[in-house]
Amino acid sequence: MSPRTQPRTGTGPRTRTRTRDADAMAVTAFVLGLVGLLVMNLLLGPVAVVLGALALYRRTTRPGRARLAIALGITDVLVLACLVTADGTWSWSLT
């Protein structure tokens, strides 16, 4: 059989690269969600949600981490909303 007539199995180098990219997205989203709890909630929260959703869409091998990243991203935005309603600030304040 020539290479053009062989059936595609989906296990080639391109599929492995996509899986690795999706795994990296899941881990990055998780880290951004964690960091977003402390600083830059408004920016890092939505980015964590989007990256986590993209990782799930691309079928990551770490779906738990991607789902946790989405939950952390939503929590980031909720923490920011609580801060804004509590004292009218857009950032953490120790005083």
Side-chain angles (χ1 to χ4, degrees), residues 25-53 68-80 90 92:
M25 273 190 233
V27 172
T28 303
F30 175 73
V31 170
L32 289 177
L34 280 177
V35 173
L37 287 173
L38 300 175
V39 293
M40 295 192 298
N41 316 55
L42 185 62
L43 177 68
L44 296 181
V47 170
V49 170
V50 169
L51 282 177
L68 188 57
I70 293 170
L72 284 170
I74 292 169
T75 304
D76 292 349
V77 176
L78 291 176
V79 165
L80 179 65
W90 285 91
W92 289 96

Side-chain angles (χ1 to χ4, degrees), residues 1-16 18-19 59:
M1 276 183 152
S2 70
R4 291 180 185 227
T5 59
Q6 290 179 350
R8 291 192 158 203
T9 58
T11 58
R14 186 172 182 177
T15 303
R16 281 182 269 154
R18 281 184 61 102
T19 302
R59 301 201 183 268

